[in-house]
Amino acid sequence: GDRLNGFENGKTQLLCLCVRLQVVLKIIKHYQEEGQGSEVVQGVLLGLVVEDRLEITNCFPFPQHTEDDVDFDEVQYQMEMMRSLRHVNIDHLHVGWYQSTYYGSFVSRALLDSQFSYQHAIEESVVLIYDPIKTAQGSLCLKAYRLTPKLMEICKEKDFSPEALKKACIGYEHMLEEVPIVIKNSHLINVLLLDLQEKSTVADKHELLNLSSSNHLEKSLQLLMDRVDGMSQEIVKYNTYCRNLTKQQQQKQQYLQRRQQENTQRQSRGEPPLPEEDINKMFKPPQAPPRMDTLLIAGQVNNYCQNIKAFTSQNLGKLFMAEALQGHSS
Amino acid sequence: CRSKPATARIPWRPALSFSSSPFVIFLHFLYKIMAVHGPLVKIHPVVLASIVDSYERRNEGASRVIGTLLGTADKHSVEVTNCFSVPHNESEDEVAVDMEFAKNMYELHKKVSPSEVIIGWYATGYDITEHSVLIHEYYSREAPNPIHMTVDTALQSNKMNIRAYVSSQMGVPGKTVGVMFTPLTIKYIYYDTERIGVDLLQRTRASPSRTNGLTTDLAQVASAAGRVQEMLSTMLSYIEDVLSGKVMADNSVGRYLMDLVNKVPKITAEDFESMLNSNINDLLMVTYLANLTQAQIALNEKLVVL
């Protein structure tokens, strides 16, 4: 997605996002303990808006949805949690939500709807996407996204037909915009970090320099292929729609022409012309396929491709390093 | 960086001197047993970050904050994985803790992680006061053998001392019974991803505005390589010192070094070349395909808009 760059339409736009240490750690812990495989874990972000920054100071997780927990009331859980947190002076403003992702697949209808409802209520909300698999490979992968103002407009209208989207000039790249994240810690937290570093053992796993890549590549490519398949299906649907539309136009023209001819013939014979029939009722225009899904799939495919490219460039770097090392010894 | 991989513990074994009185010897013996029989406390950094945060948000006039510790316990160790602060009022002669709140919060937390139980409580500050004893009694009703953790946020000894205690009865049976808090050993444990997160965040200590952005991918590989380089140079300087006689040779370190050298695989140059090339080809192909796909969807986008 695009980066924000300053002020637009006179409204202050979010320039950056400040996240505290404990939010990061809580999100990591939540996935580690409660997430399995490709299930996503979600939670709420709390914080406040300070000038042009959004500060996220705390978060709490949502329980997993289980089918046997029918009487679990999400709204009530949230309200109770916020009320309790207010007692201990924790900021209780909902500024967004977080979600874990599986290999980068998060551009979906559900995400769009949730983020839209959050952003509708509070303009500066963001969704924090945490990628546990990429993090396990050695570097913390936390990204923040918001819907672009254009997309907000479209969601408000709920009009996803091709014409509306064409008018708004939305491409798949302009759906979500990324907000840069900055980690900000207080002095006391820095003291804590110093203490932790002194008392902890040296990390014995250096995943970042791991050379094996085939597993990850396989999974990513498989997901990419699935999406591309979905995309091609959508394209086929759209093409049939276009073809049907043109065929129908042709049929309409032919009908009108025949009508004209008949009418002139009748006139020449002195008979009354045939009654005008409502042409639109006869040739009902085909239903235009909704473009939103195509846009989402395109956005998702784009995301996958970018992740894959980042991963391959990292691995190429590592391979060249290994070559240099081996070159020295041999 | 350290060259010995043994875990770092906070040692709590006072030296046993044979010239002290029998009572002192008995006390030392008692402490020794306690330190051995008390559970090992394993703390996740997320707990400490939350505690520091609640301390920073405390009410006006409150000198310390308390809260509940959640986690799992087994025979020999206690793992603290979560915590939440509990509002309380403390004055010279009385202390009031909002127990309803504590119960409610615990219920809410249980909905998310049903496996976490109350295993103790924490307080910021350095000493254990009489009020702590009362609070500890309350928590004894909630959990069997609760542990009490203190986090010294006032930095009395220029460091954040984190200690854990378990309480035990003391005194002569039949007369007034007192409570003694015996210290426990603490170990910090991390999940792998937690470790990576914390390592990244260590960098905020270096920047003056205490901020840190998340870096791009190649930069991360470069910094990881830099770290390995640092470690190698530390090792090399140690070896030089040993060879020149400045430092005594340590056999265990020598064995580790031997393992390290043996781990480098011996491959012939051609095999390595072919392996490298095939890997590079795979990656290049994938990059090409990814670029192709992106171009395709962009093209499709443009065609539809026409």
Side-chain angles (χ1 to χ4, degrees):
Chain A
D2 282 278
R3 292 237 159 167
L4 286 163
N5 40 23
F7 294 63
E8 223 177 275
N9 303 335
K11 297 188 283 186
T12 32
Q13 294 278 337
L14 213 48
L15 285 180
C16 86
L17 195 67
C18 287
V19 179
R20 301 204 72 195
L21 170 72
Q22 64 157 339
V23 175
V24 176
L25 288 179
K26 271 189 174 172
I27 297 180
I28 294 179
K29 163 198 167 349
H30 186 204
Y31 178 79
Q32 188 73 34
E33 289 187 353
E34 306 296 331
Q36 298 114 12
S38 55
E39 272 180 38
V40 295
V41 296
Q42 295 177 333
V44 173
L45 296 171
L46 305 164
L48 47 136
V49 181
V50 175
E51 301 164 352
D52 58 350
R53 291 193 316 269
L54 178 64
E55 284 200 15
I56 300 187
T57 51
N58 212 331
C59 67
F60 62 83
F62 260 137
Q64 298 282 69
H65 276 288
T66 42
E67 275 78 42
D68 34 305
D69 243 357
V70 193
D71 52 350
F72 174 69
D73 192 356
E74 249 188 44
V75 178
Q76 194 200 20
Y77 171 82
Q78 220 171 321
M79 300 267 64
E80 272 205 44
M81 200 55 149
M82 309 245 286
R83 217 176 333 129
S84 312
L85 290 176
R86 205 184 335 194
H87 275 236
V88 285
N89 296 340
I90 294 183
D91 303 314
H92 52 272
L93 182 65
H94 254 173
V95 291
W97 58 301
Y98 69 82
Q99 182 181 301
S100 72
T101 174
Y102 182 66
Y103 281 105
S105 50
F106 56 86
V107 183
S108 67
R109 200 52 193 274
L111 183 110
L112 205 69
D113 290 336
S114 305
Q115 182 59 16
F116 172 68
S117 55
Y118 265 97
Q119 241 175 287
H120 198 59
I122 303 170
E123 212 182 298
E124 295 88 355
S125 335
V126 292
V127 52
L128 263 187
I129 301 284
Y130 164 64
D131 191 343
I133 294 168
K134 198 140 183 259
T135 306
Q137 283 180 342
S139 60
L140 181 64
C141 181
L142 201 63
K143 296 212 162 95
Y145 293 100
R146 311 172 65 227
L147 301 181
T148 47
K150 287 192 204 156
L151 194 61
M152 286 290 288
E153 287 294 324
I154 299 233
C155 283
K156 253 186 270 205
E157 316 275 319
K158 291 209 196 312
D159 180 11
F160 297 132
S161 59
E163 290 79 31
L165 287 178
K166 212 189 292 198
K167 229 189 324 168
C169 300
I170 285 208
Y172 61 86
E173 281 175 340
H174 304 298
M175 287 202 307
L176 294 174
E177 56 194 3
E178 190 174 333
V179 185
I181 295 187
V182 154
I183 312 247
K184 196 170 157 72
N185 286 324
S186 67
H187 292 292
L188 214 48
I189 295 266
N190 277 349
V191 174
L192 176 69
L193 283 173
L194 178 68
D195 205 50
L196 279 177
Q197 188 169 41
E198 285 186 352
K199 302 252 173 65
S200 316
T201 61
V202 177
D204 53 353
K205 275 196 180 187
H206 290 279
E207 279 303 317
L208 196 51
L209 294 177
N210 197 352
L211 277 181
S212 72
S213 55
S214 51
N215 218 7
H216 186 260
L217 274 183
E218 246 181 63
K219 282 256 173 57
S220 314
L221 280 180
Q222 196 145 21
L223 288 167
L224 185 63
M225 286 194 315
D226 288 336
R227 282 323 183 124
V228 170
D229 279 339
M231 181 93 187
S232 63
Q233 279 175 354
E234 293 282 324
I235 292 179
V236 161
K237 260 196 266 179
Y238 187 71
N239 280 341
T240 26
Y241 160 72
C242 282
R243 252 181 292 137
N244 285 346
L245 197 64
T246 41
K247 227 190 326 185
Q248 207 188 52
Q249 296 282 49
Q250 279 181 341
Q251 281 177 343
K252 257 200 227 176
Q253 289 291 73
Q254 282 178 347
Y255 180 77
L256 279 174
Q257 273 184 344
R258 265 186 292 131
R259 264 297 159 114
Q260 284 281 46
Q261 279 181 343
E262 274 224 27
N263 276 342
T264 41
Q265 275 183 354
R266 281 184 170 225
Q267 265 186 352
S268 62
R269 275 183 287 172
E271 286 170 18
L274 286 170
E276 280 296 322
E277 279 177 19
D278 191 3
I279 205 152
N280 282 332
K281 247 194 277 187
M282 284 180 50
F283 294 97
K284 255 204 292 224
Q287 189 75 335
R291 292 286 302 159
M292 204 54 201
D293 291 328
T294 328
L295 260 191
L296 285 171
I297 296 185
Q300 183 62 72
V301 167
N302 191 29
N303 206 23
Y304 280 143
C305 290
Q306 281 183 337
N307 282 351
I308 289 179
K309 283 202 290 194
F311 180 73
T312 49
S313 63
Q314 262 189 329
N315 267 51
L316 277 173
K318 285 190 252 180
L319 280 176
F320 282 127
M321 262 198 328
E323 184 187 16
L325 271 178
Q326 195 76 1
H328 274 260
S329 57
S330 66
Chain B
C1 103
R2 306 199 191 148
S3 46
K4 63 171 159 50
T7 58
R9 292 161 149 239
I10 301 179
W12 207 94
R13 303 257 166 114
L16 196 61
S17 60
F18 288 93
S19 56
S20 13
S21 72
F23 181 67
V24 176
I25 295 180
F26 171 68
L27 228 90
H28 281 168
F29 182 56
L30 202 65
Y31 283 170
K32 200 164 167 198
I33 303 181
M34 290 302 183
V36 165
H37 282 261
L40 173 69
V41 178
K42 299 193 267 199
I43 306 183
H44 281 263
V46 62
V47 174
L48 299 169
S50 297
I51 296 178
V52 170
D53 185 68
S54 7
Y55 177 73
E56 287 175 353
R57 291 168 183 284
R58 64 191 185 287
N59 285 321
E60 288 275 343
S63 59
R64 63 179 195 163
V65 289
I66 68 167
T68 311
L69 292 172
L70 303 171
T72 49
D74 63 13
K75 257 199 317 183
H76 304 291
S77 65
V78 168
E79 195 170 331
V80 186
T81 49
N82 206 349
C83 67
F84 56 83
S85 68
V86 175
H88 83 299
N89 282 320
E90 211 169 306
S91 62
E92 276 294 324
D93 28 330
E94 62 170 15
V95 62
V97 174
D98 193 346
M99 307 193 182
E100 268 302 308
F101 179 91
K103 274 206 184 34
N104 269 340
M105 276 297 253
Y106 176 51
E107 291 298 313
L108 288 174
H109 272 112
K110 247 208 334 209
K111 291 211 178 99
V112 177
S113 350
S115 58
E116 282 181 351
V117 290
I118 298 184
I119 51 167
W121 64 293
Y122 70 82
T124 60
Y126 190 63
D127 293 324
I128 305 183
T129 62
E130 306 92 39
H131 300 316
S132 307
V133 178
L134 283 167
I135 305 179
H136 198 83
E137 242 189 66
Y138 161 66
Y139 274 99
S140 314
R141 276 179 263 145
E142 299 285 323
N145 204 18
I147 61 170
H148 170 43
M149 198 162 86
T150 59
V151 177
D152 182 15
T153 41
L155 304 172
Q156 267 193 4
S157 50
N158 286 339
K159 265 207 228 177
M160 197 175 281
N161 271 316
I162 300 171
R163 300 187 188 285
Y165 304 90
V166 121
S167 81
S168 41
Q169 305 282 4
M170 169 179 84
V172 183
K175 303 281 182 83
T176 41
V177 182
V179 170
M180 180 172 70
F181 282 95
T182 43
L184 305 167
T185 29
I186 292 188
K187 201 164 95 137
Y188 297 125
I189 73 169
Y190 304 78
Y191 298 123
D192 292 335
T193 38
E194 250 182 336
R195 190 62 203 250
I196 291 171
V198 171
D199 281 342
L200 172 81
L201 298 169
Q202 294 283 3
R203 275 191 270 148
T204 56
R205 282 181 14 225
S207 102
S209 62
R210 298 170 278 122
T211 59
N212 180 34
L214 303 178
T215 52
T216 65
D217 308 291
L218 275 183
Q220 288 160 356
V221 178
S223 59
R227 279 200 295 274
V228 175
Q229 211 174 12
E230 254 179 53
M231 290 199 264
L232 282 175
S233 49
T234 317
M235 263 185 9
L236 277 177
S237 62
Y238 170 78
I239 295 176
E240 308 259 313
D241 284 343
V242 171
L243 282 179
S244 63
K246 268 193 263 175
V247 176
M248 277 288 298
D250 189 354
N251 276 340
S252 49
V253 175
R255 272 194 282 272
Y256 280 115
L257 283 174
M258 188 74 174
D259 281 340
L260 183 68
V261 171
N262 282 337
K263 275 217 178 94
V264 178
K266 276 210 170 64
I267 328 175
T268 60
E270 301 95 37
D271 281 344
F272 186 76
E273 274 292 315
S274 60
M275 206 171 62
L276 189 74
N277 281 333
S278 64
N279 268 332
I280 292 185
N281 280 337
D282 281 342
L283 291 172
L284 286 176
M285 174 189 82
V286 172
T287 315
Y288 171 74
L289 284 176
N291 279 331
L292 191 66
T293 320
Q294 275 188 317
Q296 277 285 350
I297 47 177
L299 199 63
N300 176 54
E301 189 81 29
K302 296 285 187 287
L303 283 177
V304 168
V305 169
L306 273 181

